[in-house]
Amino acid sequence: MAGRSFVFTSSALRSLQRDQDLLDRDRHRRQLAEHRVSSYVPQWAREPPGTGSVRPPVLCEDVVVHNALYTGDLQALQRLFPAGSSADVTLEPRGGDMRWVPAGDGLWSLTYEQELTTPLHVAAGRGFADCLKHLLQRGADVDRAPGGSTALHESCDSCQPECTKLLLMYGADANAMTDDGLMPLHVCTEPQSLECARYLLQFGAVVGARSAEEDDTPLHVAARGGLADHVDLYLRYGAPVDPVNREGLTPLNAACAQPQEARDLPRYFQVCKRLLEGGADARTMDQDRRTPLHLACKSANPDVVELLLAKGACVNDMDYGGEAPLHNILKVVCFKVDHQPHRIVRALLNYGSIRVWPGALPKVLQHCSPSPRTIEVLLNAYSRLKVTEAWREAVPAELLEEHPVFFQSVFSLQDAPRSLQHLSRCRLRSFLEGRVHEVVPKLELPDIIRKYLLLEYRGYVH
């Protein structure tokens, strides 16, 4: 090694040159294949299998066949697989990602990653329904899985409903399992796979089937992916709503635990809403005693938090770490400002959540200062605050400049008591003891007072 360069040995250079020659040769073969595909017929097509015998699948490495399959050239396939021939072959395609593999004598060779597949897999994964039908009519084994998964898995994973339906009509096993223990319903993980899932269920797929490794049901997969329409479909087909997987998660827990960007929040709200309407338990704990409310606070989904509270979630359940849902949201505020974390803190406090120990408020202030609204809601749950210089030191200078009015209102409490109006609010909230969310909206109060009692954001504390 000299400077930033790497010294190649003569053996390594010869290996690299050999790899380049192989790549050039393969490229040349592909170019030739484009010109001769119209007249080419492979050996097995000219010699149909004898009657009364079952011929094992042929390993096909011919680039002519590969080119026709990967481009969806039906006319070429009709010539390559004429009447009386068998399309039950195995492919070892060239191309894809490249990687270094040991070549012996301390040398490494740069080669393509290769995985056995079949013509059915290629056609099904690319949505070539006409080609797929022709291959099936030529006797291709619909359930063969040389690479560990069937063509049906491929079509579902690629969201190709027409190919999925065609495979099922030709007898594909709707409950076939991959080497990783997944059934076709388990690979329906995109919104566009809804039709594939519907066809699978119509052809006998087990809606409550479990994956081998994670013990997930299709409902777990749909909930984790935020697929509300899939959840509806599975529930209509009788999927159990609260099965527990190997991690102790129900589908509702799995949906709440999934990391969510701001754009994903509505999708996961719809999933949780439909699961709860289907009878899901809002208080089921996982192996760490975390409830859906704990998990929804960690993922900072305010609509889901409000929904869970309305459905009976306990606001003060503790997990094995001794943390309540309020602790979970306060720990992620600085990362989830665009998720409106103040709404979650307000909802928890209105339902009677325990508060933060006053001595820890400077640390909370430091961590949550990017969201002044969250700090305001939290501080307004206390009738007395012991504001010190440590509070001012906890807020970064750039945030002091960005929100001067709010933070100045906080620091001014160092030498002054809370207002009588605020003390009256605290007294009433204390009297209601966690029923604020239920009682205050029923009172005939002006809207501004009702919002004040429910800790609506005002932009300052007093």
Side-chain angles (χ1 to χ4, degrees), residues 187-206:
V187 300
C188 293
T189 58
E190 298 294 333
Q192 297 82 3
S193 67
L194 179 64
E195 287 301 310
C196 294
R198 183 174 287 113
Y199 285 134
L200 288 169
L201 292 169
Q202 290 173 357
F203 280 83
V206 178

Side-chain angles (χ1 to χ4, degrees), residues 160-176:
Q160 303 292 347
E162 289 304 313
C163 292
T164 297
K165 181 180 179 181
L166 192 58
L167 288 166
L168 290 165
M169 290 175 63
Y170 273 80
D173 184 359
N175 295 302

